[in-house]
């Protein structure tokens, strides 16, 4: 029996600072409202998750723990291939662990990182309400396929072998597009995103009633921005948590667009050192 009908969330993350930190204020808010959260990730994020008030559970996935790649030295399509292979194998390792935890119908809702394939597969298996947490831009599967024709046409044997093993776990995966449909939140009941609706371009066909725009509304460390965003001529620059130390690249962007009429927004998260360097 659930204590006082308390809603229990399974929060399924990935071991990436840029994908985990934005979720912690949401975790705190849900717990403050009376919900229970069990947050699955790797040991590296245990202290941060527990400080937010959630119960931490280690995935115990060797593949996911070894996710670090020299991606700055790879071509974009290589990064995609290698990460997908890791997520395929990780899903096979993680699904039995999640199923064991849910034997007594422990969870009511699943929130999963967009890259965590096992999140929607787990939700589908047990008919649980699903929220896809998107810390990057929202893309459609078609957007990605159009951007990566070289990737789509040159999937190696190792990739296909790992994907075929994953396909055996669910009838929901038949093609690479089905993988992308999970990672672009097409399959989830709702989408959580952490940026402004102004950054959702007209080319996206998402149901706006399905999207929850959180921004940084839960984080008291940040004051509300007074900048009015325009959707007509905006350039939004964010290099994520991997490439955001490239100050010369940021400065090149500023120099290039300084004399244009575009509104230029640079986002570097909580890395205050970047903002100080860019002021010089």
């Amino acid at each position: 029996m659930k204590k006082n009908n308390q809603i229990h969330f399974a929060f399924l993350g990935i071991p990436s600072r840029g994908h985990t930190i934005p979720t912690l204020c949401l975790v705190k808010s849900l717990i403050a409202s009376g919900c229970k959260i069990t947050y699955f990730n790797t040991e590296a994020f245990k202290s941060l998750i527990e400080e937010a008030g959630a119960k931490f559970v280690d995935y115990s996935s060797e593949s996911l723990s070894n996710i670090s790649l020299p991606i700055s030295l790879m071509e974009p399509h290589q990064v995609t291939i290698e990460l997908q292979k890791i997520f395929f194998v990780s899903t096979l390792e993680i699904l039995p662990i999640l199923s064991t935890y849910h034997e007594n119908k422990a969870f009511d809702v699943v929130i999963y990182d967009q890259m965590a394939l096992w999140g929607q597969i787990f939700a589908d298996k047990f008919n649980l309400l699903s929220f896809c947490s998107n810390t990057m831009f929202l893309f459609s599967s078609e957007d990605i396929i159009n951007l990566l024709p070289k990737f789509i046409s040159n999937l190696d044997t190792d990739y296909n072998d790992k994907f075929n093993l994953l396909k055996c776990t669910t009838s929901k995966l038949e093609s690479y597009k089905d993988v992308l449909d999970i990672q672009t939140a097409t399959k989830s009941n709702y989408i959580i995103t952490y940026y402004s609706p102004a950054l959702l371009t007209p080319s996206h066909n998402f149901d706006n009633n399905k999207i929850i725009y959180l921004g940084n509304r839960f984080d008291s460390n940040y004051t509300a921005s007074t900048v009015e965003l325009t959707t007509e001529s905006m350039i939004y620059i964010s290099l994520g948590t991997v490439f955001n130390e490239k100050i010369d690249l940021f400065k090149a962007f500023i120099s290039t667009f300084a004399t244009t009429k575009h509104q230029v927004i640079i986002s570097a998260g909580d890395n205050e050192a970047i903002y100080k360097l860019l002021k010089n």
Side-chain angles (χ1 to χ4, degrees), residues 203-247:
S203 64
H204 293 125
N205 297 316
F206 292 101
D207 178 359
N208 207 51
N209 293 321
K210 180 178 176 177
I211 304 175
I212 302 170
Y213 295 97
L214 290 188
N216 60 6
R217 70 178 67 181
F218 296 125
D219 198 334
S220 60
N221 293 325
Y222 298 95
T223 56
S225 174
T226 58
V227 175
E228 292 187 10
L229 300 181
T230 173
T231 58
E232 295 181 1
S233 185
M234 182 201 301
I235 297 174
Y236 182 85
I237 300 170
S238 174
L239 303 184
T241 55
V242 177
F243 300 102
N244 70 357
E245 300 293 339
K246 298 183 180 294
I247 300 300

Side-chain angles (χ1 to χ4, degrees), residues 16-27 133 135 194 214-215 218:
S16 165
R17 183 175 175 83
H19 286 248
T20 303
I21 298 299
T23 70
L24 298 181
C25 288
L26 171 59
V27 168
S133 174
T135 55
Y194 303 87
L214 290 188
F218 296 125

Side-chain angles (χ1 to χ4, degrees), residues 29-185:
S29 180
L30 288 172
I31 291 174
S33 68
C35 299
K36 178 181 179 181
I37 294 182
T38 300
Y39 202 128
F40 293 79
N41 209 309
T42 61
E43 190 70 22
F45 292 90
K46 178 179 179 179
S47 60
L48 286 172
I49 289 169
E50 290 183 339
E51 285 172 10
K55 176 185 177 182
F56 168 80
V57 176
D58 192 334
Y59 279 128
S60 300
S61 165
E62 183 177 352
S63 300
L64 198 63
S65 297
N66 295 327
I67 198 172
S68 298
L69 295 169
I71 61 176
S72 61
L73 303 177
M74 292 183 179
E75 294 296 324
H77 72 280
Q78 291 177 304
V79 175
T80 303
I81 291 172
E82 294 307 316
L83 285 177
Q84 291 290 26
K85 287 179 184 178
I86 290 172
F87 290 133
F88 291 166
V89 176
S90 299
T91 300
L92 292 171
E93 295 172 346
I94 290 170
L95 282 175
I97 295 171
L98 295 176
S99 296
T100 298
Y101 266 86
H102 191 62
E103 280 182 353
N104 296 319
K105 297 183 178 180
F107 303 119
D108 303 295
V109 183
V110 176
I111 302 178
Y112 66 91
D113 183 272
Q114 64 205 91
M115 304 306 293
L117 290 174
W118 50 91
Q120 188 59 48
I121 295 173
F122 175 66
D124 286 339
K125 180 177 180 180
F126 293 101
N127 195 30
L128 297 171
L129 187 69
S130 65
F131 291 75
C132 183
S133 174
N134 286 255
T135 55
M136 300 187 294
F137 283 117
L138 292 179
F139 292 99
S140 68
S141 299
E142 289 74 16
D143 289 335
I144 298 175
I145 290 172
N146 291 335
L147 286 171
L148 297 172
K150 183 178 180 181
F151 165 52
I152 299 301
S153 61
N154 291 285
L155 297 175
D156 61 24
T157 300
D158 186 43
Y159 179 98
N160 287 314
D161 287 346
K162 287 181 170 60
F163 181 52
N164 286 332
L165 286 174
L166 180 59
K167 284 165 63 175
C168 295
T169 67
T170 175
S171 61
K172 302 289 185 177
L173 294 179
E174 295 182 358
S175 67
Y176 177 68
K177 184 178 179 300
D178 291 325
V179 173
L180 291 180
D181 282 346
I182 290 178
Q183 295 181 329
T184 57

